[in-house]
Amino acid sequence: MAYQENARRNLAFADDFISASLVDNARDFAVEDGVVVNLSPKPMVTSGSAVPGIVPAWKSTALKGAKIVSAERAAVLKMSKTTNLGGVALRGWDWLGNRIKSFPRDTPLYISAQDTVGTVTTNPLAFTNENPAVAANQEFELKLNLWWSPGETDCFIHNEHPFLEVHTQIHGLGRMQKFHEREQSALYEDIMMPVGYTHDPFCRVAGKNRWEYPWHRYYADTDSIWLAIELHPIF
């Protein structure tokens, strides 16, 4: 496909409640108001004045009346309205218990449609902040989806993913948590997730296409929507 600056399209989960766009090859791309996520291993440059800002790889910020000066690929998300936002199941979102039989029957955790936004070549050791000096570039398929839970929801302690992932808070307040074992009382790290924040990766590279995760979960303090950014290895 020919190179095109500011190539924009709606993401699969965009609707009347959530404005969600993908922008490839962003150059002086205006952002009226929204959470902007750098979906690239290269820094994103932003500006609202004469002094530019840098958003590192796989990180995010909230912009208002500003622009993306340059970025390989970015997502821009904004809540359009919040009244009856919890009716996600009526808008085609899936309750996670429909996909995982062992998922707690009383946990209201819903997942949006997933969007495969392209491929990316990156070093998994750089993604996990371990050893970027080691030459280990490989190709991944980049997938995005949203999650929704009402306030005070325990979104299930787990430690298995066949991909690299991070999350960005889009609406509300939550936290990413780590545990010594699969038990709530075993909490040892608590990372607050305000709107516009993307946490550091939790996993470590354990071998070719093998990632080790600690026991972890998302916890929704308030009604929350957050973005999952997944890098699936292309074998």
Side-chain angles (χ1 to χ4, degrees):
M1 186 173 63
Y3 177 91
Q4 179 185 350
E5 288 189 0
N6 296 328
R8 178 195 172 278
R9 70 167 174 85
N10 284 339
L11 290 163
F13 40 79
D15 62 15
D16 291 343
F17 291 79
I18 304 166
S19 170
S21 300
L22 179 73
V23 184
D24 281 309
N25 306 314
R27 296 294 182 273
D28 294 323
F29 183 86
V31 179
E32 181 179 347
D33 189 11
V35 174
V36 178
V37 188
N38 183 3
L39 300 175
S40 163
K42 295 183 179 180
M44 174 169 63
V45 181
T46 64
S47 182
S49 71
V51 181
I54 301 295
V55 179
W58 311 111
K59 289 294 186 177
S60 56
T61 189
L63 296 180
K64 188 169 185 177
K67 63 183 178 181
I68 303 172
V69 176
S70 63
E72 282 192 342
R73 177 177 287 147
V76 182
L77 300 99
K78 170 68 177 177
M79 302 304 302
S80 302
K81 60 180 181 178
T82 56
T83 301
N84 295 331
L85 180 61
V88 290
L90 305 176
R91 308 203 306 272
W93 292 37
D94 195 19
W95 176 58
L96 190 59
N98 291 332
R99 305 185 182 190
I100 302 175
K101 291 183 179 179
S102 62
F103 191 73
R105 302 291 98 182
D106 58 353
T107 299
L109 175 59
Y110 293 86
I111 184 172
S112 73
Q114 190 170 67
D115 197 324
T116 300
V117 301
T119 61
V120 61
T121 299
T122 191
N123 179 350
L125 290 166
F127 183 92
T128 59
N129 298 317
E130 291 182 87
N131 190 354
V134 174
N137 277 358
Q138 67 179 97
E139 194 174 17
F140 294 85
E141 196 168 42
L142 182 58
K143 300 185 179 187
L144 308 177
N145 64 263
L146 293 175
W147 292 95
W148 152 260
S149 273
E152 302 297 335
T153 299
D154 166 2
C155 296
F156 193 58
I157 300 173
H158 58 288
N159 71 347
E160 295 182 0
H161 292 297
F163 47 78
L164 301 167
E165 73 164 4
V166 290
H167 303 88
T168 302
Q169 190 79 15
I170 306 301
H171 171 72
L173 179 66
R175 58 187 80 201
M176 289 294 298
Q177 300 176 316
K178 298 179 186 179
F179 302 84
H180 292 294
E181 56 186 291
R182 195 175 200 170
E183 170 58 50
Q184 182 164 303
S185 62
L187 174 71
Y188 72 87
E189 188 170 354
D190 199 14
I191 301 167
M192 299 303 298
M193 296 280 289
V195 171
Y197 181 75
T198 300
H199 66 84
D200 288 327
F202 281 9
C203 66
R204 291 295 176 262
V205 178
K208 176 67 173 179
N209 294 336
R210 291 176 49 233
W211 334 111
E212 288 183 346
Y213 282 83
W215 291 107
H216 67 282
R217 75 175 176 190
Y218 181 90
Y219 189 91
D221 289 291
T222 69
D223 294 358
S224 292
I225 286 183
W226 62 103
L227 176 73
I229 303 161
E230 300 178 355
L231 280 70
H232 294 250
I234 298 175
F235 293 88

